[in-house]
Amino acid sequence: MLSEDQCEELFMTTMEVLERTGAEVLNQEARATFEKAGCWIDGNRVRIPSALSEWAVRTAPSRVTVCDRKGKRALRLETTNAFYGPGQGNAYVIDPLTDERRKPLKADVVNTGVVCDGLKNVDFAMSNGLPTDVKESMAEVHAFEALVTHTTKPIVQSIQGIEQAQAILDIATVVAGSLKEFQKNPFVIFLIETEGTLVHSDETMAKVMFAAQNGVPYIYATKLVAGETSPSTPAGAIVVALADVLVGVLLGQLVRQGTPVIAGGFFTINDKENDILPCGAPEVSLMGTGMVNALRFLKIPSFGFAGATDAKESDAQMGLEAAFSILHAGMSGTSLIHGCGQLEYGLSGSLALLVMGDEVMGMTRRIIKGIEVNEERLARGVIDSVQPGGHYLGEEHTLKYFRNEFWWPTVMNRTRIDDWTANGAKTLGQRVKEKAQSIIKTHQPEKLPEEILSQIKGILDKADAR
């Protein structure tokens, strides 16, 4: 969407903001680290010389590889590769069996792990709501334990404090075999969310330093509301967002050079009429794509948002908003795309929407794949062999290519109306609910060995006791 010249102008403006205006950094150790590197400190205000911003961008890895739980390379966050996953942090969930809207429980995180594990196009797992049936200060740790024991896919895990981060890292280390093995083949990414508006709290900076010290890949993400916490223009909002995330990128590189980091965020507007921050507004995708373009220009892997809706249930609005954003984020080459499965402007998590999103992700990937042109695919000889008026069903060429050249649906319906009626005349909303229920009831994720499960339980018990 943006040219290289436009991306360069965004970056130059961002460096000017960091050098001239600076950012509020409320962590003393972080300020000391910035000062030692050559930043100018005035109280909590940190002003960053442009040379340091440029150094951080050059030093941060241009590619980050994340593995699955078994150590197999799974997510290659580089160039325009795009990977999808669910949203996180919902205040409510839609019960996949009863359709009840209620507070999330640990069992819901288990179901999320199972469904993520069973869906072909979902590449990583996140907790779509923090469990409310465990100690609040331990919710992230219990959510991680539920995911790591119910999916082999990579996990993006939010962290709220250093003690929780340490417990999560301890569990990941047990699964990997050692901290060194985990660092070599990381299957967990810490999600660290800044407050936006160029303010970085004590705890946020502490989490960045913890991740860097331990060699854990981390996402540094901001959340901005255009016209309120950032300028109303998309360009101005992207400048503030870049300035926000570059503070987290720089700190990580100063603590441990080469620390793997992904940057990005969530952009929206304020719908004053309804007093909500919408997830399905086109501005979410518009500004998100601009941010991704700028980050790719800087060769920093990106974190974006798609697959959510402002709808309240499985209806046409849900499908439209989720599908447009999934297609947009994929075609813009966002490295990690989260948010799928979030209803009601992000308040409620829906596994049915995640199942529908999985279908759209498959369609998007087929579109992105494009048309391959080579001698065999041009099929000159096949066309001549069939001759005008003939058909291609009996050709070996057709047998060879029709399965991988075409996209085949799993929940979209292509049957004739008589067959559709005979099968219950089910809407897409009904079919995705049934598929989610089926995965929860029948899918069997690969289990961890009992010895490792016992060690994880010990870590949980010790952390709960604290």
Side-chain angles (χ1 to χ4, degrees):
M1 186 175 67
L2 299 176
S3 68
E4 285 207 0
D5 286 346
Q6 289 173 315
C7 290
E8 184 177 28
E9 191 167 358
L10 285 168
F11 181 46
M12 293 298 165
T13 305
T14 299
M15 289 195 292
E16 167 69 5
V17 168
L18 288 172
E19 188 173 272
R20 177 185 181 185
T21 308
E24 291 286 302
V25 175
L26 306 182
N27 181 286
Q28 185 176 355
E29 185 180 351
R31 288 197 303 272
T33 302
F34 284 127
E35 186 171 29
K36 185 178 179 182
C39 296
W40 304 295
I41 311 297
D42 181 10
N44 292 330
R45 185 66 57 90
V46 176
R47 292 179 175 84
I48 301 171
S50 294
L52 265 183
S53 295
E54 291 178 315
W55 173 84
V57 167
R58 290 195 308 270
T59 305
S62 60
R63 60 183 300 273
V64 175
T65 300
V66 184
C67 299
D68 64 16
R69 196 182 70 189
K70 298 185 288 185
K72 181 181 177 183
R73 311 293 247 194
L75 309 179
R76 291 181 172 85
L77 309 182
E78 58 190 48
T79 61
T80 58
N81 292 348
F83 300 97
Y84 292 97
Q88 59 93 31
N90 307 299
Y92 301 92
V93 295
I94 307 300
D95 190 298
L97 303 179
T98 67
D99 282 341
E100 177 191 5
R101 180 182 182 268
R102 55 169 173 75
K103 291 288 186 180
L105 306 173
K106 187 170 180 178
D108 295 307
V109 187
V110 169
N111 287 341
T112 300
V114 172
V115 171
C116 286
D117 197 75
L119 290 174
K120 179 181 177 182
N121 295 296
V122 171
D123 302 297
F124 60 90
M126 295 179 79
S127 167
N128 75 341
L130 291 177
T132 57
D133 54 343
V134 299
K135 192 188 301 184
E136 185 178 355
S137 61
M138 283 290 294
E140 290 83 5
V141 183
H142 279 274
F144 177 69
E145 184 268 340
L147 290 177
V148 79
T149 54
H150 289 89
T151 180
T152 61
K153 291 185 178 180
I155 297 169
V156 174
Q157 179 60 52
S158 64
I159 53 173
Q160 298 303 318
I162 299 304
E163 285 192 359
Q164 296 92 330
Q166 184 63 65
I168 291 166
L169 181 58
D170 289 344
I171 293 172
T173 299
V174 165
V175 173
S178 68
L179 179 60
K180 184 177 180 181
E181 286 302 312
F182 172 77
Q183 291 169 341
K184 284 164 56 179
N185 299 300
F187 62 92
V188 183
I189 307 170
F190 281 171
L191 172 57
I192 303 170
E193 296 178 290
T194 184
E195 294 70 22
T197 66
L198 299 173
V199 176
H200 305 264
S201 72
D202 183 6
E203 193 172 75
T204 299
M205 295 281 88
K207 289 185 284 189
V208 170
M209 291 186 287
F210 177 86
Q213 288 160 357
N214 289 281
V216 182
Y218 69 95
I219 297 163
Y220 202 65
T222 187
K223 180 177 181 178
L224 295 174
V225 181
E228 293 191 5
T229 59
S230 78
S232 58
T233 56
I238 293 168
V239 166
V240 172
L242 279 175
D244 255 342
V245 299
L246 284 180
V247 172
V249 172
L250 173 59
L251 181 59
Q253 300 312 306
L254 291 174
V255 171
R256 182 173 177 148
Q257 190 170 325
T259 293
V261 59
I262 301 105
F266 172 73
F267 302 82
T268 188
I269 58 175
N270 193 338
D271 184 328
K272 296 288 189 181
E273 184 176 341
N274 298 295
D275 194 28
I276 67 162
L277 303 178
C279 289
E283 290 83 5
V284 175
S285 294
L286 179 72
M287 291 185 281
T289 294
M291 181 71 165
V292 168
N293 287 177
L295 288 168
R296 190 160 71 247
F297 172 78
L298 299 177
K299 293 185 169 58
I300 296 175
S302 56
F303 183 64
F305 185 85
T309 178
D310 301 319
K312 318 304 179 288
E313 61 178 19
S314 297
D315 61 9
Q317 179 183 341
M318 179 190 87
L320 284 169
E321 291 179 338
F324 271 122
S325 61
I326 288 171
L327 177 64
H328 202 145
M331 294 188 74
S332 67
T334 311
S335 306
L336 281 178
I337 305 165
H338 80 300
C340 192
Q342 292 188 279
L343 286 169
E344 195 187 355
Y345 41 91
L347 276 183
S348 300
S350 166
L351 292 178
L353 175 52
L354 183 60
V355 169
M356 192 216 72
D358 179 77
E359 189 91 323
V360 180
M361 294 166 196
M363 297 174 75
T364 297
R365 285 188 162 129
R366 181 60 194 93
I367 292 167
I368 292 172
K369 184 180 176 183
I371 298 173
E372 188 173 347
V373 178
N374 56 37
E375 186 60 32
E376 190 170 4
R377 282 178 167 80
L378 288 168
R380 302 173 202 253
V382 180
I383 297 168
D384 184 62
S385 173
V386 170
Q387 291 290 303
H391 69 80
Y392 294 81
L393 288 175
E395 296 297 314
E396 287 186 15
H397 188 273
T398 302
L399 184 64
K400 180 177 179 180
Y401 284 108
F402 87 100
R403 288 197 180 277
N404 54 23
E405 291 288 322
F406 304 155
W407 175 81
W408 302 101
T410 60
V411 291
M412 299 285 190
N413 189 281
R414 292 178 176 174
T415 60
R416 295 179 181 273
I417 191 166
D418 290 343
D419 295 330
W420 175 71
T421 303
N423 288 321
K426 294 175 183 176
T427 64
L428 176 62
Q430 291 172 304
R431 292 194 298 274
V432 294
K433 287 178 185 177
E434 289 180 359
K435 183 172 179 179
Q437 293 169 358
S438 175
I439 294 172
I440 290 168
K441 292 175 181 177
T442 64
H443 182 69
Q444 296 293 324
E446 186 175 329
K447 293 184 177 180
L448 287 167
E450 287 298 326
E451 181 185 353
I452 290 178
L453 290 174
S454 177
Q455 292 181 62
I456 290 174
K457 184 178 184 302
I459 294 168
L460 266 183
D461 291 343
K462 185 177 178 181
D464 275 332
R466 285 201 300 269

